């Protein structure tokens, strides 16, 4: 891909220079037009050919948050970017982040802008990250952009941890239930089946519950490989299906419609949309570019499509609240607050308030969900184990009753 050298005017009227890859000069100009920047000069410095781009893996959000906080402190203290990156690369304990920072530092020292150097590592630095860094470079407030980015990442990490913590207990209980059932069906039930045969019980004499369990145990022991293969085929088939655009949309639509968990997922997406959008607008990113970035980070393709449709309508001159309301993916309260923010010129502030509200809603929903799931899962686990125990002891009770009747007849 060709490499261009460019000069543009920033929001203060000063000239800024840099280099960037683009398919053509026209597409690079269009990229700057979307950001509301005035291009002074563009010159091609390298023709086609693939640029070297090394992959170092994906860095955890928690480590990126710490990096941003430290980076902003050093930049605010007047330390040069190259020096900051060198110090942070030596201090970090994450080997992936260390290699990435070394590479970014080398590129910045070679003349690339920080945002462009980070853009070469898309697995670790997404469009939101790059957009905020670029906005900070253009406005000369890189330390403020890094602080906002760090605060955003910290909030995102906290939200993810709450969701994971709330779902950990139900998942562990389900795993324990599956493990207990497999153990009982594969080892305990066959022992009882052999005992029943030894005492002369025939298949037609078994209660329905016992017969069901014995048949289940027999099929599991003799066809476990087939069951495993079927499970693997279903798992990887679903992964391939979700990897397609239609499959991804189908899965995301299901996520939104699942009872209880669908509302939780929607609230998480709303919190992420509001926080991301508010952070971008606060950092000076143009609204069209901000909405494009938000669509890629909201976490649900159905909601992402609604955001992109709203972006297209805004480009044509509509207000932001109207297309969001028409999508039916955004609650009236959100649409109303966005409309008020747009009219009062405080859209970024309103979006942050919406994000705070939905993050509190997510936390409250998780607490109530966890409180409700605990007794339900315990009852479910008790029912499964009790069903197996009763099914195994019913034939023994029948045999004991038969022996008691025979003894009574002998006595008579």
């Amino acid at each position: 891909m060709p490499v261009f050298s460019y000069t543009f005017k920033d929001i203060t009227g000063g000239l800024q220079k840099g280099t960037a890859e683009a398919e053509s000069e026209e597409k690079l100009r269009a990229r700057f037009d979307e950001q509301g920047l005035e291009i002074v000069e563009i010159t091609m410095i390298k023709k086609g050919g693939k640029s070297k781009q090394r992959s170092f893996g994906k860095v955890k959000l928690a480590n990126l948050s710490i990096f941003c906080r430290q980076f902003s402190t050093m930049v605010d203290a007047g330390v040069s970017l190259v020096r900051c990156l060198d110090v942070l690369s030596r201090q970090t304990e994450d080997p992936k982040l260390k290699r990435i920072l070394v590479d970014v530092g080398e590129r910045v020292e070679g003349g690339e802008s920080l945002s462009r150097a980070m853009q070469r590592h898309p697995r670790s630095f997404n469009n939101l990250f790059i957009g905020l860094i670029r906005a900070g470079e253009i406005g000369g407030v890189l330390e403020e952009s890094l602080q906002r980015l760090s605060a955003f990442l910290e909030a995102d990490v906290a939200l993810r941890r709450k969701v994971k913590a709330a779902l950990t207990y139900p998942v562990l209980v389900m795993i324990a239930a599956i493990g207990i059932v497999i153990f009982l069906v594969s080892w305990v039930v066959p022992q009882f089946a052999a005992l029943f045969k030894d005492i002369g019980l025939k298949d037609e004499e078994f209660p329905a519950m016992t017969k069901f369990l014995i048949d289940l145990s027999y099929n599991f022991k003799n066809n476990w490989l087939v069951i495993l293969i079927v499970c693997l085929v279903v798992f990887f088939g679903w992964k391939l299906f979700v990897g397609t655009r239609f499959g991804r949309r189908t899965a995301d639509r299901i996520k939104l419609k699942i009872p209880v968990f669908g509302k939780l997922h929607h609230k998480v997406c709303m919190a992420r949309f509001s926080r991301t959008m508010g952070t971008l607008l606060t950092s000076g990113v143009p609204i069209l570019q901000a909405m494009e970035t938000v669509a890629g980070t909201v976490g649900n393709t159905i909601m992402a499509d609604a955001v992109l449709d709203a972006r297209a309508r805004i480009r044509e001159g509509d207000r932001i609240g109207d297309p969001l309301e028409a999508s039916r993916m955004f609650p009236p309260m959100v649409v109303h607050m966005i409309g008020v923010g747009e009219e009062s010129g405080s859209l970024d502030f309103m979006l942050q308030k919406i994000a705070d509200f939905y993050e509190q809603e997510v936390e409250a929903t998780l607490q109530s969900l966890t409180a409700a799931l605990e007794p339900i899962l315990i009852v479910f686990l008790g029912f499964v184990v009790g069903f197996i125990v009763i099914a195994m002891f019913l034939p023994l009770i029948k045999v004991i009753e038969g022996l008691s009747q025979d003894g009574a007849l002998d006595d008579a």
Side-chain angles (χ1 to χ4, degrees):
M1 187 178 292
V3 179
F4 297 89
S5 172
Y6 58 80
T7 304
F8 65 91
K9 287 184 179 180
D10 60 23
I11 58 177
T12 63
L15 296 179
Q16 299 284 340
K17 295 183 178 181
T19 60
E21 291 182 356
E23 295 180 6
S24 64
E25 181 178 335
E26 290 73 19
K27 291 194 175 183
L28 183 59
R29 287 184 180 276
R31 190 188 306 171
F32 278 96
D33 288 341
E34 286 188 356
Q35 300 176 31
L37 302 175
E38 181 183 349
I39 285 290
V40 177
E41 181 183 10
I42 293 182
T43 306
M44 182 186 291
I45 59 176
K46 182 180 178 183
K47 293 187 177 180
K50 295 184 178 179
S51 60
K52 295 181 180 179
Q53 182 169 329
R54 291 171 284 176
S55 176
F56 300 102
K58 186 176 182 179
V59 179
K60 294 181 180 178
L61 284 179
N63 293 338
L64 281 180
S65 175
I66 296 172
F67 158 71
C68 289
R69 185 68 68 187
Q70 295 173 336
F71 198 8
S72 65
T73 302
M74 296 181 71
V75 171
D76 191 35
V79 182
S80 67
L81 291 182
V82 175
R83 177 62 178 164
C84 289
L85 293 168
D86 178 58
V87 172
L88 292 175
S89 67
R90 286 188 280 107
Q91 287 184 350
T92 183
E93 297 179 357
D94 187 338
K96 295 177 183 177
L97 182 58
K98 183 186 293 289
R99 292 193 295 269
I100 289 174
L101 293 182
V102 169
D103 182 69
V104 171
E106 291 174 352
R107 294 181 184 278
V108 171
E109 191 173 13
E112 282 192 12
S113 65
L114 178 63
S115 59
R116 181 58 193 165
M118 287 181 167
Q119 197 170 5
R120 297 179 182 276
H121 303 277
R123 293 188 63 190
S124 295
F125 305 118
N126 58 19
N127 291 335
L128 167 67
F129 204 107
I130 301 303
L132 288 176
I133 295 295
R134 185 181 291 121
E137 289 177 325
I138 294 171
V141 288
L142 181 59
E143 68 281 358
E144 292 182 12
S145 291
L146 286 167
Q147 288 170 4
R148 293 193 187 101
L149 186 56
S150 177
F152 171 83
L153 292 175
E154 288 169 358
D156 194 22
V157 169
L159 185 62
R160 290 171 185 263
R161 283 176 177 169
K162 289 175 183 176
V163 174
K164 288 181 180 178
L167 297 180
T168 297
Y169 177 79
V171 170
L172 290 177
V173 172
M174 289 303 298
I175 292 174
I178 293 172
I180 291 171
V181 170
I182 291 175
F183 169 73
L184 293 175
V185 169
S186 62
W187 191 81
V188 176
V189 173
Q191 299 292 327
F192 274 88
L195 174 63
F196 297 152
K197 287 183 180 180
D198 291 341
I199 60 179
L201 284 176
K202 298 179 181 180
D203 291 346
E204 57 270 14
E205 296 177 335
F206 291 147
M209 294 172 59
T210 308
K211 186 169 176 28
F212 168 77
L213 272 181
I214 291 176
D215 291 342
L216 178 65
S217 175
Y218 176 82
N219 289 321
F220 183 81
K221 288 191 67 176
N222 291 277
N223 301 310
W224 67 269
L225 184 58
V226 175
I227 296 172
L228 178 62
I229 292 174
V230 170
C231 292
L232 290 175
V233 168
V234 171
F235 175 77
F236 287 108
W238 175 254
K239 295 284 285 185
L240 291 173
F241 176 69
V242 172
T244 64
R245 177 172 173 76
F246 175 75
R248 182 64 178 169
R249 287 176 58 82
T250 302
D252 286 342
R253 188 175 286 108
I254 292 173
K255 287 180 183 178
L256 292 170
K257 292 184 177 180
I258 294 176
V260 182
F261 290 97
K263 291 183 179 180
L264 175 62
H265 178 66
H266 183 255
K267 290 176 181 179
V268 171
C269 291
M270 287 303 307
R272 190 170 293 152
F273 161 80
S274 305
R275 183 70 67 192
T276 307
M277 188 78 171
T279 302
L280 287 167
L281 294 179
T282 303
S283 300
V285 178
I287 188 169
L288 292 178
Q289 183 184 349
M291 294 192 75
E292 184 179 7
T293 301
V294 169
T297 59
V298 72
N300 186 285
T301 55
I302 305 300
M303 293 193 67
D305 289 344
V307 173
L308 291 176
D309 290 342
R311 180 180 181 273
R313 294 269 300 276
I314 293 169
R315 184 189 287 273
E316 295 174 0
D318 285 1
R319 301 173 67 85
I320 184 173
D322 296 336
L324 292 179
E325 184 178 15
S327 70
R328 298 184 179 180
M329 295 301 302
F330 294 82
M333 182 272 290
V334 174
V335 175
H336 176 71
M337 290 186 69
I338 288 176
V340 171
E342 190 175 16
E343 291 177 2
S344 61
S346 58
L347 181 57
D348 53 345
F349 175 77
M350 283 295 185
L351 286 166
Q352 297 289 1
K353 288 297 182 183
I354 294 171
D356 292 339
F357 170 78
Y358 272 101
E359 285 170 4
Q360 292 173 2
E361 281 287 296
V362 168
E363 186 172 1
T365 302
L366 287 173
Q367 289 177 352
S368 60
L369 183 63
T370 303
L373 279 176
E374 286 184 12
I376 292 174
L377 290 173
I378 291 172
V379 170
F380 169 75
L381 184 57
F383 172 79
V384 171
V385 175
F387 177 86
I388 295 174
V389 171
I390 293 172
M392 290 297 98
F393 278 92
L394 277 177
L396 294 179
I397 294 173
K398 187 175 180 181
V399 170
I400 293 171
E401 289 178 348
L403 292 175
S404 300
Q405 291 175 359
D406 292 341
L409 291 174
D410 292 340
D411 292 339

